[in-house]
């Protein structure tokens, strides 16, 4: 709960800063809804991307000429699957995590028009990996001394970089974005002695998230 409270404080702080630009064309509050596809780039496990939902709140303000900024918070469920062995047969086990993201994006309007390129840093606070209890003892393909339950305690705080494109009208826009996790989301597992002893080398994984959203501005 402390982590989520920290994220809420950060959003409030950035929203307060953005208020200095005033209202009208300089300050638009947005509500977004969309879908995401999440992958985990790692050599330790066999991973298959999964699709789930995302939504959030943001504030978009003009900054200078063709440049604008977006402050916001997204809530999402992120899914991917891992290959495992269960009863001498291979089985994909679905893994998911809940996440809160706080982002600060810099936007450049192409030719001063309705389409902009968006990029910037993202702070992510996420849960442990969740899975069906019936799959917790499945053996992981590619790291056969580990079971699914051994890898649930991933990093709770991570940083991503965001790049995307958005466009539309004043009150409604569409966005397509990609996020890459610059932090090793599996590093917390390397700090657990029991997991580190069973793992075949250092565990390393970086998130890759593609998201499409529709944003309503007020």
């Amino acid at each position: 709960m402390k982590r989520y409270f920290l994220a809420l404080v950060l959003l409030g702080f950035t929203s307060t800063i953005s208020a200095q630009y005033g209202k009208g064309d300089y300050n638009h509050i947005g509500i977004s809804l969309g879908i995401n596809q999440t992958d985990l780039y790692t050599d330790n496990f066999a991973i298959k991307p999964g699709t789930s939902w995302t939504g959030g709140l943001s504030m978009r303000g003009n900054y200078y000429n063709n440049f604008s900024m977006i402050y916001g918070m997204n809530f999402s469920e992120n899914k991917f699957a891992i290959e495992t062995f269960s009863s001498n047969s291979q089985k994909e086990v679905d893994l998911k995590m809940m996440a809160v993201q706080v982002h600060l994006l810099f936007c450049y309007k192409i030719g001063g028009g309705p389409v902009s390129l968006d990029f910037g840093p993202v702070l992510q606070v996420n849960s442990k990996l969740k899975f069906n209890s019936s799959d917790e003892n499945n053996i992981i393909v590619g790291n056969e001394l580990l079971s699914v339950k051994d890898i649930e305690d991933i990093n709770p705080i991570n940083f991503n970089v965001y790049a995307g494109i958005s466009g539309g009208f004043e009150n409604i826009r569409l966005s397509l974005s990609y996020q890459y996790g610059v932090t090793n989301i599996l590093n917390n597992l390397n700090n657990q002695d029991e997991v580190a002893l069973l793992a075949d080398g250092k565990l390393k994984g970086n998130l890759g998230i593609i998201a499409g959203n529709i944003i309503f501005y007020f």
Side-chain angles (χ1 to χ4, degrees):
M1 290 299 295
K2 290 182 178 179
R3 300 189 190 105
Y4 290 97
F5 177 75
L6 173 62
L8 288 170
V9 170
L10 288 172
L11 178 63
F13 177 72
T14 53
S15 297
T16 300
I17 293 176
S18 63
Q20 66 181 307
Y21 295 108
K23 296 183 179 180
D25 292 338
Y26 295 93
N27 198 353
H28 297 279
I29 297 174
I31 298 176
S32 63
L33 298 170
I35 59 174
N36 67 65
Q37 183 182 73
T38 303
D39 200 354
L40 178 65
Y41 306 129
T42 177
D43 294 328
N44 300 112
F45 316 127
I47 298 294
K48 181 179 179 181
T51 302
S52 194
W53 60 267
T54 184
L57 299 171
S58 62
M59 187 168 292
R60 187 183 191 105
N62 290 341
Y63 184 67
Y64 179 77
N65 289 342
N66 292 336
F67 293 92
S68 59
M69 298 179 69
I70 301 175
Y71 309 86
M73 174 181 286
N74 286 335
F75 304 87
S76 66
E77 178 184 71
N78 300 84
K79 292 181 178 180
F80 51 88
I82 187 170
E83 290 287 349
T84 70
F85 291 114
S86 175
S87 303
N88 297 321
S89 63
Q90 203 158 314
K91 178 183 180 182
E92 285 185 357
V93 173
D94 292 326
L95 304 175
K96 70 177 181 179
M97 66 182 184
M98 305 301 297
V100 177
Q101 294 185 337
V102 177
H103 57 262
L104 172 61
L105 305 180
F106 302 89
C107 312
Y108 175 73
K109 299 177 184 178
I110 301 175
V115 178
S116 68
L117 300 177
D118 312 323
F119 55 93
V122 179
L123 168 65
Q124 175 174 300
V125 182
N126 52 258
S127 68
K128 297 179 180 181
L129 292 179
K130 306 296 183 182
F131 43 83
N132 289 333
S133 58
S134 58
D135 298 321
E136 66 178 16
N137 292 314
N138 288 18
I139 302 302
I140 296 174
V141 173
N143 232 295
E144 282 74 13
L145 294 180
L146 291 176
S147 62
V148 173
K149 66 181 179 182
D150 291 327
I151 65 168
E152 66 175 334
D153 197 9
I154 57 176
N155 285 14
I157 299 177
N158 294 279
F159 292 91
N160 305 337
V161 290
Y162 178 111
I165 186 169
S166 61
F169 305 98
E170 181 178 356
N171 294 322
I172 184 170
R173 294 174 70 88
L174 298 176
S175 73
L176 179 64
S177 65
Y178 175 76
Q179 291 185 43
Y180 178 77
V182 296
T183 51
N184 175 11
I185 196 171
L186 302 179
N187 194 51
N188 198 45
L189 302 174
N190 295 316
N191 298 325
Q192 300 172 31
D193 292 339
E194 292 183 5
V195 176
L197 287 172
L198 296 175
D200 182 14
K202 183 178 180 179
L203 300 179
K204 186 177 186 301
N206 302 86
L207 286 178
I209 305 172
I210 299 173
N213 286 277
I214 182 169
I215 310 162
F216 301 94
Y217 283 104
F218 302 92

